[in-house]
Amino acid sequence: MIVIDLIHNLTILIALTFLAGLIEELFKKDTTLNLVMQGILFGIVTIIVMLNPFTLTEGLFFDGRTIVVGICTLFFGPLSGIIAAVIAAGYRIYIGGIGLFTGLLTTFGAVLTGYITYLIRKKTNFRFTLLNLYIYGLASNVVVMLLFLTIPSAFRGEALSRISFTVMVLYPLITVIAGKILSMQEDKKSYNETIKKSEEKYRAVHTNAPIPFFTIDMQGKILDCNPEFIKELEFSSDEAVGKNFIGFMNAESKMLFEKILNELNLKGEVQPVELVLIKKSGNYIIIILDAKCGNVRKDLPEIIYCVFKDITKQKIAENELILAKEEAEESDRLKTAFLQNISHEIRTPLNGIIGFASLLSEKDFDKENIKLYADMILSSGFRLLTLINNILDISTIESGNLKINYTSLNLNSVLRKIYNRFFSEASEKNLKFTLDLGESDEKSNIESDLSIIKTVMENLLDNALKFTNEGSINLSYNFIDDKIILKVTDTGCGIPDSEKDKIFNRFYQVDMSISRKYEGAGLGLAICKGMLTAMNGTIEVTSEQGKGSEFTVTIPLRKKKKNNDDFILNEKARAEIRKILIAEDDDAGYDYFKLVLEKNSIEVERAFNGLEAVEKIKNDKSINLILMDIRMPVMDGYEATQLIKKMNPAIKVIVQTANFTDEDRDKAFESGCDGYLCKPISPYELYSSINKIYNDI
Ligand code: ADP
């Protein structure tokens, strides 16, 4: 009977331990609420236990309540123990009877033994084992047995003989079972807490790590990544996880990463490697990736743990340093080459000048060769002058003192003159030299800097002629989208790819050796580039070695506002000019000037040759300006100008001629002319020249 009751109590106790575990899940361990709840739960269980007691006589019964309150105190401390004991005592008082005093004593006695053991455990931190639970069970029930001595003497003997075995043998065993279940729950709970804490710790490291950290499987698929990774690549975690890491790389890095994966699969680790990743925005970053294989547990497959460091800024700075170093070395090389070059470029013409001048100064010099010597001195002088001009130009550009002078000009006319200037040189080298004007004369009136256009085109043609020994040279232009596109194309030696950018650096020449066959100081293209940049223009080259080159110049197009500007005569000129004499043997030439001048209602007269011009001046005092052709029958323009200027220096003479060399020009001014125009002459050029003469008075 007692045994059945005990089994009943034991079942309740086991149910109780599970409920205790549940409460502890719901409320945090060691919180007062948890302790109170445990006390109430164990207290209720004492009542249940008391509902099914082993009764000796009315008011004297035995049950497992001492086990319940004892275990409660042992596991949850004095607060829970006392609450459970008070509930048990309350119910026991309610039942009353002769065993009440002993009942209360044993209940609080169990609390005491529980509490003492609780304190020992707190101090020594021992773990519950079957043995120490049994010792506790035995000790607490010895106390209970001792307290049973307070049972009224009439029942004491029978009571002790009937329940001693149960209390001393079965109660300790029940205590062991209940204690073990509770201690296992306690262990599980603390294990879970340890796991949770370690998980939290791992998460915190993962989330707060100041470097991008991620894991991939052995094929490169991203399994997990931290916020730094997301920040670097700008993809959200959803967009990154599940994708293959290789998908974030440029082509070169992809190949490298495939090798790394193979190595990781074989060896489990690799040396840090540099990769280029492409962010969501399309920008790239350069990283150093460090990766190693590992697994969470031995029974789980291996994965790859990766971290990387963004070294983009470092790399850019490194490259800049390398570039700066290369530039410094290049500049040093250029300086040496320039000094050798410039010395050669100065000495060679000086040699010519001094050599031929000393030949001329010999007493018995060969008089027949006087022209040849003089020509040699002149050409050496011009070569020296070009060099000095180039040095002056480059220093003006580099000091930032280059001024842009926008004036109205007719591009067709400017290019025709440049073309004419180079034509004979090209013919001498048997080169086909062509000019393609992309726009009509009328449309080619623009505003630009004449001197820059001339310098740039002359430098390019100079080079084309210098570096082309057979084939052709072409000069062309057209207007595209508010830009003037000028091209100089040749079939010369061409430029190697590696040199195409460098040739625009000052002093740079593809062949910088002492034995080089082309003259030049390496300044022409640097001057072109400097001047064009100042005009917001560009210069580029396409070239194939051995086949030729094409230089393309782009200048912003500033069209002249009104075409009528071509025919503007300033006030002074309008007031001064009475009649203009056109000395021109060619009818078309005369008709053209007449038409252009009549736009301003200027009266004109014609002379067919120089002599007739002189006669007309003598007879017609109203003529005060002459447009004088040079090549005319009977008397040429130079002679006629000289005679007229002798007769009346106030008469203005503008020479208009097809001769364009510097010598022709000098000769014209020596004969006394006031202005000089090279055919073809646009209306704008004619009026500009007339206006200039009267402005200068
Ligand atoms: P220079 O002509 O005095 O040497 P530039 O600055 O005009 O100086 O040209 C620099 C270099 O560019 C030349 O030395 C030559 O090597 C190369 N170059 C320029 N124009 C041409 C061209 N049309 N064909 C081949 N090489 C050229």
Side-chain angles (χ1 to χ4, degrees), residues 463 466-467 490 495 503 508-510 520-525 549 551:
N463 281 345
K466 190 158 64 176
F467 295 105
D490 66 55
I495 302 158
I503 55 169
Y508 194 89
Q509 294 172 308
V510 173
L523 287 172
L525 292 179
S549 316
F551 283 84

Side-chain angles (χ1 to χ4, degrees), residues 41-78:
L41 174 73
F42 277 77
I44 293 169
V45 171
T46 56
I47 298 173
I48 299 170
V49 170
M50 277 187 269
L51 289 175
N52 221 352
F54 158 63
T55 308
L56 199 67
T57 179
E58 180 74 21
L60 181 61
F61 56 88
F62 300 93
D63 51 64
R65 103 186 77 116
T66 51
I67 303 176
V68 178
V69 291
I71 287 254
C72 178
T73 317
L74 176 61
F75 278 89
F76 303 105

Side-chain angles (χ1 to χ4, degrees), residues 202-213 226-229 307:
Y202 164 76
R203 273 288 136 207
V205 171
H206 189 262
T207 312
N208 302 319
I211 49 165
F213 167 71
N226 75 344
E228 268 310 296
F229 177 95
V307 285

Side-chain angles (χ1 to χ4, degrees), residues 161-179:
S161 70
R162 301 260 322 250
I163 64 155
S164 309
F165 174 76
T166 309
V167 172
M168 289 313 295
V169 178
L170 296 182
Y171 275 22
L173 288 179
I174 294 170
T175 308
V176 168
I177 294 169

